């Protein structure tokens, strides 16, 4: 049972001053799957990510990673256990070069991160591996470019490469395609597909086209609670899902609705 | 060219760039060294030592503010603790040589820094500044009340003594070169720290703390270490200052002093190595020059004005703006 599911939550609850943002959520993420977490704006998707990685403390409930209760662990410790997240708002180190961004991630396993007396040149042995990772997301030629100067899509690609540098077993991606044009979206889909090999991915995604292409299983969240779960066909045919999406009526979802039709 | 060739090509370029940067750094260090070695022949050594003590204070502060992104409003506490500890020990225990007093003062500030860090490090932004300010005020009131400090009158007549019991520090030139050695040692240490593997983590924390956490860094520990090192160097600056002036006073513990070091760092350029040194030099000179003349009651408003102009018009400070200019115009 429990080696089938790498990540589980049991009755996970998060309340903000009486407001229930995450309401009794039971997730089961199967090993090797790309699992989508979808739902209208404000459904609690990012909050679930924040709970899983302990950027927020759960009000109640448990989080199990490979059967182990990791609820009491801190964010950094969870990352070291192999569950690494990205952020909804692109998270890079803006005043470092692309290469240096990756090195920060690789360095976290080097055991020299408190060595304030060592020369910075000792980090150069991470350069080759960093270049490989940059190559894998098509950023080779930008290795020496300061990150603020990169276009948005490239920043997100860099963020993904940085996350992959951690060699995570479980990858949590919060809307990796948000704010991208179709061309960039296609690239990211390919990148995620490649990154998912040998890994488990949990991703928040508004773009149902992306979800249908990538994901093995989908959990729909509405007002903090799980509305339904299943594969793409089951979920997209569920009238309740269509209802919450249309009821939300926000810009992101209008496009999505059309895509539900297209996919059917 | 194959992908591998391109990759190694870029790596070569990066290494070359590092070499150029490092050469530039050492040339600058050399120029600084020569200037400081010759300075006492054209300027009064005690005045120069004052500059060096404040420069060290600002360099220490900048390690935390400029390189870690933590704005402490309580650094006066460490300057004063270093000064009072050293002053008290050298005044009351004649068996102590000067360096022992200075080391003890530095250690005391280090311990205090650890206490401050543990109590404040979880706070973010303005709350962090407020906690450090509150703690520093506690320290200030302690020094006001404690009898050994001499209260409002200050602690006078701290003996300069002899370095290692050998070199007479009553001689201004001797003392100058001792202070200079300590200053340069600390300056190089900070230069090393910020470019070390640890320094890279600090940079990451400063630029995007949640991301650093998500990459597995226990950021609080890195911040605490930076805070403690910063406090230690600030304490060392205070210790030396009490030896130079044979005096430790409440001025050093006052929140004014915490504000002044922020001003020095901002004017010179936060997050640069030379910035705080230049900023301290300017502020000490401005205070001295104006203090002599008819504008002596206007020192604070004028410094305040400079502060406002810096924050509004050239946020990167003098050194920061020069760096930008050089980068833009010379590749
Ligand atoms: N720190 C917080 N304090 C109070 N309320 C919060 C906090 N974080 C989130 N919320 C609330 O919890 C609800 C869920 O927010 P969350 O960011 O998880 O939504 P989401 O599903 O990620 O939405 P989106 O699609 O817009 O990203 C929202 O109503 C939000 O206002
Ligand atoms: Mg969200």
């Amino acid at each position: 049972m429990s080696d089938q599911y790498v990540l589980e939550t049991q009755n996970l609850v998060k309340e903000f001053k009486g407001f229930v943002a995450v309401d009794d959520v039971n997730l089961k993420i199967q090993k090797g799957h790309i699992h989508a977490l979808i739902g209208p704006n404000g459904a609690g998707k990012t909050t679930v990510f924040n709970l899983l990685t302990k950027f927020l403390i759960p009000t109640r409930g448990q989080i199990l990673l490979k059967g182990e209760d990791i609820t009491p662990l801190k964010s950094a410790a969870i990352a070291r256990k192999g569950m690494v997240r990205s952020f909804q708002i692109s998270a890079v180190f803006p005043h470092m070069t692309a290469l240096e961004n990756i090195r920060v991630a690789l360095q976290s396993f080097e055991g020299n991160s408190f060595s304030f007396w060592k020369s910075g040149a000792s980090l150069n042995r991470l350069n080759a591996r960093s270049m490989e990772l940059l190559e894998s997301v098509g950023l080779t030629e930008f290795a020496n470019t300061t990150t603020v100067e990169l276009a948005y899509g490239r920043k997100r690609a860099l963020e993904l490469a940085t996350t992959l540098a951690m060699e995570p077993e479980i990858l949590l991606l919060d809307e990796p395609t948000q704010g991208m044009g179709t061309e960039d979206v296609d690239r990211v889909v390919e990148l995620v597909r490649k990154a998912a090999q040998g890994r488990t991915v949990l991703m928040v995604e508004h773009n149902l086209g992306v979800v249908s292409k990538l994901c093995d299983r989908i959990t729909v969240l509405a007002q903090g609670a799980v509305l339904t779960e299943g594969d793409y066909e089951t979920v997209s045919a569920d009238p309740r899902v269509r209802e919450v999406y249309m009821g939300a009526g926000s810009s992101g979802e209008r496009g999505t609705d059309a895509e539900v039709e297209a996919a059917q | 060219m194959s992908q591998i060739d391109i990759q190694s090509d870029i790596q070569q370029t990066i290494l070359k760039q590092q070499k150029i940067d490092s050469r530039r750094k050492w040339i600058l260090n050399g120029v600084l060294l020569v200037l400081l070695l010759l300075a006492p022949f054209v300027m009064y050594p005690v005045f120069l030592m004052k500059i060096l003590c404040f420069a060290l204070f600002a360099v220490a502060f900048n390690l935390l503010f400029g390189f870690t992104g933590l704005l402490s409003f309580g650094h006066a506490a460490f300057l004063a603790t270093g000064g009072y500890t050293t002053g008290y020990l050298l005044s009351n225990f004649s068996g102590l040589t000067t360096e022992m007093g200075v080391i003890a003062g530095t250690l005391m500030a280090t311990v205090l820094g650890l206490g401050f860090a543990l109590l404040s490090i979880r706070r973010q932004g303005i709350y962090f500044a407020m906690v450090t300010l509150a703690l520093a005020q506690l320290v200030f009131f302690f020094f006001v009340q404690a009898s050994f400090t001499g209260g409002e009158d200050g602690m006078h007549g701290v003996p300069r003594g002899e370095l290692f019991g050998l070199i007479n520090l009553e001689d201004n030139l001797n003392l100058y070169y001792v202070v200079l050695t300590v200053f340069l040692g600390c300056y190089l240490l900070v230069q090393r720290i910020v470019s070390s593997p640890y320094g890279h983590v600090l940079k990451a924390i400063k630029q995007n703390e949640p991301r650093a956490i998500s990459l597995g860094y226990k950021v609080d520990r890195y911040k605490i270490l930076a805070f403690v090192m910063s406090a230690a160097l600030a304490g060392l600056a205070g210790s030396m200052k009490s030896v130079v002036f044979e005096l430790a006073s409440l001025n050093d513990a006052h929140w004014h002093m915490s504000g002044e070091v922020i001003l020095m760092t901002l004017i010179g350029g936060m997050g640069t190595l030379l910035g705080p040194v230049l900023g301290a030099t300017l502020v000490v000179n401005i205070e001295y020059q104006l203090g002599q003349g008819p504008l002596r009651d206007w020192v604070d408003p004028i410094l305040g004005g400079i502060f406002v102009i810096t924050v509004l018009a050239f946020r990167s400070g003098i050194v920061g703006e020069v760096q930008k200019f050089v980068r833009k115009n010379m590749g």
Side-chain angles (χ1 to χ4, degrees), chain A residues 139-193:
Chain A
L139 288 177
T140 305
E141 57 192 304
F142 300 101
N144 210 13
T145 307
T146 308
T147 307
V148 265
E149 289 158 20
L150 293 179
Y152 181 75
R154 297 212 166 93
K155 279 193 193 123
R156 298 238 57 161
L158 175 62
E159 190 189 350
L160 188 62
T162 308
T163 308
L164 292 177
M166 300 288 291
E167 310 254 336
E169 265 181 75
I170 305 178
L171 203 56
L172 305 182
L173 303 174
D174 198 349
E175 300 199 26
T177 65
Q178 194 197 33
M180 283 184 183
T182 25
E183 206 170 302
D184 277 341
V185 170
D186 290 344
R187 266 169 36 110
V188 169
V189 168
E190 280 324 300
L191 289 178
V192 172
R193 202 196 298 282

Side-chain angles (χ1 to χ4, degrees), chain B residues 128-145:
Chain B
F128 176 80
M130 276 159 52
V131 173
T132 51
L133 172 62
L135 292 170
Q137 285 307 94
L138 284 181
V139 172
F140 175 76
F141 288 120
F142 168 74
F143 286 139
V144 170
Q145 294 300 324

Side-chain angles (χ1 to χ4, degrees), chain B residues 69-72 120-132 209 223:
Chain B
L70 292 172
L71 174 56
S72 155
S120 65
I121 217 75
R122 287 287 170 84
R123 312 270 157 235
Q124 301 282 336
I126 190 72
Y127 298 103
F128 176 80
M130 276 159 52
V131 173
T132 51
E209 184 169 338
K223 292 200 245 176

Side-chain angles (χ1 to χ4, degrees), chain A residues 157-257:
Chain A
L158 175 62
E159 190 189 350
L160 188 62
T162 308
T163 308
L164 292 177
M166 300 288 291
E167 310 254 336
E169 265 181 75
I170 305 178
L171 203 56
L172 305 182
L173 303 174
D174 198 349
E175 300 199 26
T177 65
Q178 194 197 33
M180 283 184 183
T182 25
E183 206 170 302
D184 277 341
V185 170
D186 290 344
R187 266 169 36 110
V188 169
V189 168
E190 280 324 300
L191 289 178
V192 172
R193 202 196 298 282
K194 211 158 70 172
Q197 279 164 16
R199 297 199 168 88
T200 308
V201 177
L202 175 62
M203 66 192 286
V204 173
E205 184 56 67
H206 271 314
N207 187 329
L208 288 194
V210 172
V211 172
S212 71
K213 273 185 231 158
L214 278 178
C215 299
D216 303 294
R217 207 163 172 81
I218 299 162
T219 300
V220 184
L221 219 54
Q223 291 172 3
V226 175
L227 185 69
T228 181
E229 203 198 296
D231 59 16
Y232 185 77
E233 276 65 42
T234 323
V235 167
S236 59
D238 192 324
R240 290 174 304 167
V241 175
R242 310 200 55 194
E243 193 182 324
V244 294
Y245 263 87
M246 288 196 291
S250 71
S251 61
E253 272 62 67
R254 255 175 263 132
T256 308
D257 194 46

